[in-house]
Amino acid sequence: MESLPELGTSQQQSIHHKSDQKFDENDNLRHFVDSVDIDGDLSDIGRASSSPSKLKLYKRRWYLLLIFSLSAMLTSIFQMSFASIQSETLTYFSMAHTNTNLFKVNMFALSYNLNIVVAFLASFFVKKFGLGPMVDIAITGHFIAAWLRFGGSMWRTEYGFWICLLGQVIAAAMQPSISYSSTLMSLNWFGESERAMATTIASFSNLLGTGVAFALTTMVSESHVWTIWITLLLHAVMASVVAVGGLPFFRSKPPTPANIASMDQEGKNIGFMRDLWLLVTNVNVLILATTFGLGFGCISSFLSLIGQIVSPRGYQGTDASVFGLLVIFCGGGGAIVFGILVDRTKRYRLLMWISGLGALVSLAAFTFLIRYDKNKLFLVLLSVSAGSLGMFALPFVPIVMELACEISYPVSASTSNVVFGSAGTFFTIGFMLILQQLAIKTTVDGKEKVTSMQNAMYVILGSFVLALVVFVFFRGKNRRSLVEQAIRDGKSGVLDDADADEAETVLEELEAAERLERVHHAVVAGVRPEYEILE
């Protein structure tokens, strides 16, 4: 956008006079005069425009959350379909068990880590056209991808493998549209006391998809590799059900805003590039994004490689699937508990520390126990460690996503999620590449076999420690909650001076962004030539 010069009082009067003449000729732009006028208390303007009496909750929000959550679940099902059955996949498609072909199978998971550019395009699209059209595109993409993957599985040759991989790439391209929009969904449709829980449900659905994928792959073994096509058929049926139930009904937002933050942002479009600039120049955002990227990368790569991590100690693919299921389903219980606590207390930092330290202890226990060969005792202890890891580590995701929206407000929730999601993707790519190189392998009967992933586990553990060390320096404030409280209570002694000043600053940013955006629209509409800057 073309920048405008800073104007003095006499210049503003000239602009108002000229713009009045212009709007007499073009009534549909008359609101521009009021938006340029900068006189008055901005916080009063914010409170007046965001009266809680204008808020409304719609029952349909729960159905839309269900559709959104099912779509989120599908993204993880597609991503993790082959995570714990790499060897069985090579056998199914009649491919040699070589390191090169093993890397090809890992491309099913790696393809999801190559969508950073797609994520930013999706965020721009959401900001331009709204959440609804983007979700519709994602649902359609999932439908096409699922049936391509199933179609490829009909050819048990490498040709069929590449068709299946094509469907996987399409599904990967759809992932950012869903995975990075959970906080926007909760912001648009849910009340202030429901947002964290709605985000938790959507985020957990993503994780639940990982659990479903692990559960479906438990029936796949070297002697029953033919069952792969059955799992892919089930995925295609699920995608079809979501398409039928979601495409006709999903909407970007309700007719009446559901909460103050959503209402206060209406008509105050900061602009996508300005959103990005505000995020990358915010030190606390960068600290939190680094913490999230390291933590998410550790857990994501651990789940993606869990089959290779445990198999050298005598554990089968079914054991790996059980460990994965324990991480996911225990994580669901933890996510619900943490989600309720976040909604009730807004103590994001404290809950982050509880989640992080609990996950660290659990990950350390798993790292130590996997050094020993399989027996009944270690199978039980590893199962307990996996469940504990899920209970503490998985709530980490929705907590950070909500905290990111809090500290970056009034930046759009979709843009904030893309930056944090991209940080997670970036670190996951790095971990996957590094951890594959740390695997100790040998050749047995012409087949390459992983004999140890212990060094990889040490790297995962050390990186998670680093994530918590980085978080020590975090000092961000809950800007969104402060503004909502200031608007709701009229700042009548409820906030201390520092918090009141922070809320005032955010309200000023909102009003300044609105004026800047409306000036831009007026310039595009042809008002600019009428302006005269008086000396």
Side-chain angles (χ1 to χ4, degrees), residues 234-474:
L234 290 175
H235 299 168
V237 171
M238 292 171 64
S240 301
V241 170
V242 173
V244 172
L247 286 176
F249 307 110
F250 204 91
R251 298 293 181 270
S252 296
K253 59 177 61 177
T256 303
N259 57 72
I260 294 173
S262 175
M263 188 176 187
D264 209 51
Q265 281 192 318
E266 289 203 351
K268 297 172 182 169
N269 187 2
I270 296 178
F272 179 72
M273 296 307 297
R274 184 170 171 81
D275 269 353
L276 288 179
W277 176 252
L278 290 175
L279 289 172
V280 300
T281 56
N282 187 324
V283 174
N284 286 302
V285 168
L286 296 179
I287 291 174
L288 187 61
T290 303
T291 298
F292 176 75
L294 286 167
F296 183 85
C298 289
I299 303 304
S300 180
S301 57
F302 171 79
L303 288 173
S304 297
L305 299 174
I306 193 168
Q308 296 180 47
I309 290 172
V310 302
S311 61
R313 298 303 178 186
Y315 296 93
Q316 304 301 316
T318 53
D319 296 322
S321 296
V322 168
F323 294 145
L325 285 171
L326 286 170
V327 172
I328 300 305
F329 288 106
C330 290
I336 292 173
V337 172
F338 277 88
I340 293 173
L341 291 175
V342 168
D343 273 332
R344 295 290 187 270
T345 67
K346 305 297 183 184
R347 299 291 297 275
Y348 293 95
R349 291 180 64 185
L350 174 61
L351 294 173
M352 278 276 291
W353 278 115
I354 295 174
S355 172
L357 292 175
L360 177 61
V361 172
S362 304
L363 188 59
F366 197 97
T367 302
F368 174 78
L369 293 170
I370 201 61
R371 296 168 58 196
Y372 301 97
D373 291 337
K374 178 183 178 180
N375 61 43
K376 291 183 178 179
L377 174 62
F378 284 112
L379 178 62
V380 172
L381 293 176
L382 281 172
S383 298
V384 172
S385 299
S388 177
L389 176 62
M391 184 172 62
F392 288 103
L394 298 195
F396 183 82
V397 176
I399 292 175
V400 171
M401 288 302 189
E402 278 294 311
L403 181 56
C405 293
E406 289 281 347
I407 67 172
S408 63
Y409 185 81
V411 169
S412 169
S414 61
T415 307
S416 173
N417 276 193
V418 163
V419 169
F420 278 76
S422 298
T425 298
F426 174 79
F427 280 99
T428 301
I429 292 173
F431 281 129
M432 289 290 288
L433 295 176
I434 293 172
L435 298 180
Q436 287 284 356
Q437 298 303 315
L438 292 175
I440 299 175
K441 302 172 183 176
T442 187
T443 302
V444 178
D445 297 330
K447 297 182 179 180
E448 286 188 345
K449 183 178 180 181
V450 176
T451 59
S452 177
M453 290 286 285
Q454 195 62 39
N455 291 335
M457 286 301 301
Y458 290 142
V459 170
I460 292 175
L461 181 62
S463 299
F464 202 88
V465 171
L466 179 59
L468 296 181
V469 171
V470 172
F471 188 64
V472 170
F473 300 97
F474 178 77

Side-chain angles (χ1 to χ4, degrees), residues 112-308:
Y112 276 76
N113 299 323
L114 302 177
N115 55 22
I116 294 179
V117 175
V118 177
F120 283 95
L121 291 175
S123 178
F124 176 81
F125 188 95
V126 168
K127 198 167 180 67
K128 186 75 173 178
F129 301 103
L131 179 64
M134 191 73 263
V135 172
D136 288 344
I137 292 175
I139 291 175
T140 304
H142 285 159
F143 176 82
I144 296 172
W147 286 104
L148 265 178
R149 294 187 344 148
F150 172 71
S153 69
M154 294 293 96
W155 287 275
R156 296 187 58 174
T157 63
E158 188 167 350
Y159 175 74
F161 171 87
W162 289 111
I163 295 177
C164 193
L165 184 59
L166 174 61
Q168 187 80 353
V169 171
I170 294 175
M174 299 299 106
Q175 186 212 28
S177 307
I178 301 296
S179 298
Y180 301 160
S181 299
S182 57
T183 55
L184 181 61
M185 172 68 190
S186 61
L187 175 65
N188 286 352
W189 282 95
F190 288 85
E192 182 181 348
S193 62
E194 301 173 331
R195 285 196 306 247
M197 181 53 68
T199 300
T200 298
I201 292 173
S203 299
F204 173 66
S205 297
N206 198 306
L207 301 171
L208 180 62
T210 302
V212 172
F214 277 122
L216 291 176
T217 55
T218 56
M219 63 182 181
V220 178
S221 65
E222 286 288 354
S223 59
H224 295 86
V225 294
W226 57 270
T227 54
I228 286 179
W229 77 268
I230 297 180
T231 64
L232 297 182
L233 175 60
L234 290 175
H235 299 168
V237 171
M238 292 171 64
S240 301
V241 170
V242 173
V244 172
L247 286 176
F249 307 110
F250 204 91
R251 298 293 181 270
S252 296
K253 59 177 61 177
T256 303
N259 57 72
I260 294 173
S262 175
M263 188 176 187
D264 209 51
Q265 281 192 318
E266 289 203 351
K268 297 172 182 169
N269 187 2
I270 296 178
F272 179 72
M273 296 307 297
R274 184 170 171 81
D275 269 353
L276 288 179
W277 176 252
L278 290 175
L279 289 172
V280 300
T281 56
N282 187 324
V283 174
N284 286 302
V285 168
L286 296 179
I287 291 174
L288 187 61
T290 303
T291 298
F292 176 75
L294 286 167
F296 183 85
C298 289
I299 303 304
S300 180
S301 57
F302 171 79
L303 288 173
S304 297
L305 299 174
I306 193 168
Q308 296 180 47

Side-chain angles (χ1 to χ4, degrees), residues 84-133:
S84 60
I85 54 170
Q86 292 96 336
S87 177
E88 291 84 351
T89 301
L90 291 177
T91 301
Y92 181 86
F93 286 106
S94 304
M95 299 167 66
H97 288 248
T98 64
N99 189 40
T100 300
N101 285 340
L102 184 61
F103 178 77
K104 291 178 182 178
V105 175
N106 285 333
M107 286 173 64
F108 280 97
L110 286 171
S111 61
Y112 276 76
N113 299 323
L114 302 177
N115 55 22
I116 294 179
V117 175
V118 177
F120 283 95
L121 291 175
S123 178
F124 176 81
F125 188 95
V126 168
K127 198 167 180 67
K128 186 75 173 178
F129 301 103
L131 179 64

